[in-house]
């Protein structure tokens, strides 16, 4: 096996292992959404269904969240991510841009934008997404943790190299953010 194929295999394995570990981690504490722990747990479930590319979308959970907390900024960001997942990238990015006009420094929305761009088929978008996610990953907050997850679990291909995934995975393992901690 050539050196490049070994790195590719190692990166894919590391990404899969970290994905499995992350999927099982997290706490169910309620903080942030109206409705307490139950609504926060629902939010986490829907968010995880979007974070893991191969997981089925929790559409029923999203509908319930929209019913419980339609004005919540994070729920609206998840709504844009759902649009993207359903195959409407232009509409999803437009919705995110409108949200970012309301709160230009909102790191949760910026991570969502980075995730969308990072998973785009366009090389230009993928590079923009990688740059944005790397910038956000420099912190020690939830957004940096989420940005590292997106980079570590991203798919290899145009603009994404095994070293990118491995570097993000190593940094993610050392990140000080408590498991499952979500932004206020």
């Amino acid at each position: 096996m050539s050196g490049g194929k070994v790195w590719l295999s190692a990166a894919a394995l590391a990404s899969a292992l970290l994905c499995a570990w992350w999927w099982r981690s997290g706490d169910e504490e309620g903080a942030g959404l109206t409705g307490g722990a139950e609504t926060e747990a629902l939010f986490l479930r829907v968010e995880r269904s979007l974070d893991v590319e191969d997981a089925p979308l929790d559409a029923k959970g999203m509908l319930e969240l929209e019913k419980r907390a339609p004005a919540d900024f994070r729920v609206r960001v998840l709504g844009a991510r759902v649009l993207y997942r359903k195959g409407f990238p232009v509409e999803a990015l437009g919705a995110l841009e409108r949200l970012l006009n309301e709160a230009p420094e909102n790191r949760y929305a910026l991570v969502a934008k980075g995730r969308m761009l990072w998973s785009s088929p366009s090389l230009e978008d993928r590079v923009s997404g990688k740059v944005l996610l790397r910038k956000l990953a420099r912190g020690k907050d939830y957004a940096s943790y989420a940005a590292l997850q997106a980079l570590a679990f991203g798919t290899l291909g145009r603009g994404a190299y095994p070293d990118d995934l491995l570097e993000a995975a190593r940094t993610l393992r050392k990140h000080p953010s408590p498991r499952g901690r979500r932004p206020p």
Side-chain angles (χ1 to χ4, degrees), residues 40-119:
E40 188 68 21
L42 178 61
F43 174 84
L44 293 174
R45 194 178 78 212
V46 172
E47 183 181 47
R48 283 206 175 124
S49 81
L50 289 164
D51 288 352
V52 179
E53 210 171 285
D54 296 334
L57 170 65
D58 186 355
K60 287 181 183 178
M62 187 63 203
L63 288 173
E64 181 63 27
L65 269 180
E66 288 173 331
K67 198 180 335 177
R68 290 183 190 187
D72 185 89
F73 193 83
R74 292 186 305 155
V75 172
R76 292 167 47 210
V77 169
L78 285 183
R81 291 185 63 196
V82 167
L83 274 176
Y84 190 86
R85 173 66 94 70
K86 287 184 173 182
F88 301 100
V90 173
E91 295 84 348
L93 285 166
L96 262 183
E97 288 302 328
R98 288 188 294 280
L99 288 168
L100 284 165
N101 284 336
E102 289 177 33
E105 300 299 316
N106 186 286
R107 291 172 56 83
Y108 189 72
L110 288 169
V111 169
K113 180 179 179 180
R115 280 181 183 278
M116 287 180 196
L117 293 172
W118 180 233
S119 65

Side-chain angles (χ1 to χ4, degrees), residues 5-19 152 154 156 162 165-166:
K5 288 182 181 179
V6 170
W7 271 107
L8 183 61
S9 297
L13 178 62
S15 180
L17 290 172
L18 279 170
C19 186
L156 292 173
L165 276 62
L166 287 172

Side-chain angles (χ1 to χ4, degrees), residues 10-19 21-22 51 115 118 133-134 137 144-156 160-173:
L13 178 62
S15 180
L17 290 172
L18 279 170
C19 186
W21 165 81
W22 174 80
D51 288 352
R115 280 181 183 278
W118 180 233
L133 290 169
R134 281 185 168 178
S144 66
Y145 188 75
L148 284 167
Q149 285 177 336
L151 288 167
F153 304 139
T155 55
L156 292 173
Y161 305 102
D163 288 345
D164 293 327
L165 276 62
L166 287 172
E167 177 187 336
R170 283 187 203 110
T171 306
L172 181 62
R173 280 189 64 217

